[in-house]
Amino acid sequence: AQSVSQHNHHVILSEAASLELGCNYSYGGTVNLFWYVQYPGQHLQLLLKYFSGDPLVKGIKGFEAEFIKSKFSFNLRKPSVQWSDTAEYFCAVLHYGQNFVFGPGTRLSVLP
Amino acid sequence: GAVVSQHPSWVICKSGTSVKIECRSLDFQATTMFWYRQFPKQSLMLMATSNEGSKATYEQGVEKDKFLINHASLTLSTLTVTSAHPEDSSFYICSATLPTSTDTQYFGPGTRLTVL
């Protein structure tokens, strides 16, 4: 069965620092990859997704993610974080014919 | 577009009672809705997939008689936690997919259930 891991449980950064959140999945083959964000007190929102094509995908709010098939990874990046980026970030994988599998989440705290 | 709502957002009930949680797609028709459970500091665990007009498909380990799911219309799915116990206390989240784009889910705000 597919499993998704996220490297860090809690990341603390100062404003303007660069961000990279790791995500790895276990199952090969054709997958669709997602990053969702959950701001405090709000519901999950889609940040970006990868289905095919250019492995570097750009999402909302300056986020981007790179799909590296050989490493089964889909890391999320942002060059300069803001205090408003404080949230929980979830990586998710959809394997053809199966259901979404979510990673455990990474809590990002950005200090002003 | 693609807004999903849940009601109630927070419910407290006594052990042994039943609780119904509603999930609505506000501006689109959702042929498929999903119910997740999220424990503190953990990820979302899929409980069941709900298809309009048919029985829900439950994930392994989820008691279908305890977590009753009804998807009676294209905009409404309900989850009823029957004879709730304290261990059922959790955050329940629903999501829905667009008929034209089933690969992307849109999530509701979640319902926090506390069973005393």
Side-chain angles (χ1 to χ4, degrees):
Chain A
Q2 179 72 266
S3 66
V4 180
S5 62
Q6 292 182 234
H7 302 172
N8 307 97
H9 177 65
H10 190 188
V11 173
I12 302 174
L13 295 173
S14 297
E15 275 194 316
S18 63
L19 169 72
E20 180 159 4
L21 301 182
C23 171
N24 285 89
Y25 60 97
S26 62
Y27 195 88
T30 302
V31 291
N32 295 337
L33 300 159
F34 305 80
W35 274 98
Y36 284 89
V37 60
Q38 188 173 29
Y39 296 103
Q42 297 187 29
H43 60 278
L44 281 159
Q45 301 173 39
L46 181 66
L47 263 183
L48 49 78
K49 59 186 178 183
Y50 170 81
F51 286 175
S52 64
D54 189 345
L56 184 63
V57 292
K58 295 189 183 301
I60 61 172
K61 305 185 180 185
F63 286 91
E64 64 178 31
E66 184 176 12
F67 169 52
I68 303 179
K69 189 174 182 179
S70 61
K71 295 185 178 180
F72 297 90
S73 71
F74 190 56
N75 292 356
L76 180 71
R77 298 194 293 249
K78 185 171 184 178
S80 177
V81 294
Q82 300 172 315
W83 176 79
S84 58
D85 293 323
T86 294
E88 188 97 19
Y89 293 81
F90 293 94
C91 178
V93 176
L94 175 64
H95 188 260
Y96 180 76
Q98 300 183 13
N99 287 310
F100 277 75
V101 177
F102 284 83
T106 297
R107 178 168 296 181
L108 172 65
S109 298
V110 180
L111 306 177
Chain B
V3 177
V4 177
S5 70
Q6 283 184 241
H7 178 80
S9 57
W10 189 23
V11 57
I12 302 173
C13 69
K14 293 183 178 180
S15 185
T17 61
S18 295
V19 175
K20 180 185 283 189
I21 302 170
E22 293 184 349
C23 176
R24 293 182 185 273
S25 56
L26 297 185
D27 51 1
F28 66 102
Q29 293 183 331
T31 52
T32 303
M33 290 183 170
F34 303 86
W35 286 97
Y36 292 86
R37 187 172 176 176
Q38 186 179 27
F39 292 99
K41 298 184 179 181
Q42 295 188 33
S43 187
L44 285 76
M45 299 298 295
L46 180 66
M47 298 175 65
T49 302
S50 169
N51 291 297
E52 186 268 337
S54 63
K55 291 183 179 180
T57 302
Y58 290 81
E59 295 299 299
Q60 191 173 11
V62 178
E63 299 176 60
K64 60 181 67 177
D65 294 330
K66 181 168 186 60
F67 298 100
L68 300 179
I69 292 173
N70 185 291
H71 194 158
S73 77
L74 287 171
T75 59
L76 173 64
S77 175
T78 60
L79 168 68
T80 302
V81 183
T82 63
S83 187
H85 289 93
E87 57 265 30
D88 298 324
S89 298
S90 191
F91 197 56
Y92 293 88
I93 303 174
C94 75
S95 71
T97 57
L98 293 169
T100 55
S101 179
T102 57
D103 292 332
T104 301
Q105 295 190 30
Y106 297 91
F107 288 85
T111 296
R112 184 165 300 284
L113 170 63
T114 301
V115 184
L116 302 178

